[in-house]
Amino acid sequence: MTHNAGQDADDLVLSPSEQRAHNLALRASGTKKTSTQKSLASIALGFELFVVFLIGLTLFGLGVFDPAWVGLVIGGVACLLIIVALGLMRMGNVGIILGWVVHGLYFVGAFFLVPILFVGLIFTGLWLYCMWKGAQIDRMREARL
């Protein structure tokens, strides 16, 4: 990458070959314009997938529902919802909306098992931060371009 003397250290100029490689990488990822907000949302939901799976196992193991296998079904459906949200993250705001639904489900789950409330508060706080900071970074990048 080249750097002009009159520019700040953050303003790097790509050579033509680097620009072509960058454009090819963006096309391969399925998007021309990457959204920091959606990238952060995907990371947060990816971590939550494991936790939701463990919550489903906990609901089953503690026998919160009668029959106990209902806890596994609820955990599986919630995991499937997260996977669909991750898959739809590039398509408009559908993935973001499904992410909000997942976070709402934490608070519904707290009615059945109170410790889910603490997990929900932690991940919803992370989600809110990702939404806020990602949108802020996207706005700053858009203003710079």
Side-chain angles (χ1 to χ4, degrees), residues 11-80:
D11 296 335
L12 296 176
V13 178
L14 298 176
S15 70
S17 62
E18 289 170 328
Q19 186 64 48
R20 281 191 301 276
H22 177 30
N23 292 342
L24 283 172
L26 287 178
R27 262 189 257 130
S29 70
T31 181
K32 292 235 183 224
K33 178 180 156 189
T34 58
S35 165
T36 304
Q37 184 182 42
K38 290 180 181 180
S39 296
L40 292 174
S42 295
I43 293 167
L45 283 177
F47 283 122
E48 289 180 56
L49 181 61
F50 296 107
V51 173
V52 168
F53 175 74
L54 293 174
I55 288 173
L57 288 177
T58 303
L59 292 171
F60 170 73
L62 293 177
V64 173
F65 298 103
D66 186 32
W69 58 266
V70 172
L72 290 176
V73 172
I74 290 172
V77 168
C79 286
L80 186 62

Side-chain angles (χ1 to χ4, degrees), residues 24-138:
L24 283 172
L26 287 178
R27 262 189 257 130
S29 70
T31 181
K32 292 235 183 224
K33 178 180 156 189
T34 58
S35 165
T36 304
Q37 184 182 42
K38 290 180 181 180
S39 296
L40 292 174
S42 295
I43 293 167
L45 283 177
F47 283 122
E48 289 180 56
L49 181 61
F50 296 107
V51 173
V52 168
F53 175 74
L54 293 174
I55 288 173
L57 288 177
T58 303
L59 292 171
F60 170 73
L62 293 177
V64 173
F65 298 103
D66 186 32
W69 58 266
V70 172
L72 290 176
V73 172
I74 290 172
V77 168
C79 286
L80 186 62
L81 180 64
I82 291 174
I83 291 169
V84 169
L86 288 170
L88 296 175
M89 198 59 74
R90 293 189 215 173
M91 299 179 193
N93 288 328
V94 177
I96 299 287
I97 292 168
L98 289 177
W100 282 109
V101 170
V102 168
H103 290 90
L105 290 176
Y106 281 121
F107 298 103
V108 171
F111 287 108
F112 300 104
L113 190 63
V114 176
I116 295 175
L117 176 64
F118 300 111
V119 174
L121 288 172
I122 291 168
F123 278 114
T124 301
L126 175 65
W127 180 260
L128 286 169
Y129 182 76
C130 290
M131 294 294 102
W132 170 69
K133 198 62 173 175
Q136 182 184 33
I137 292 169
D138 287 340

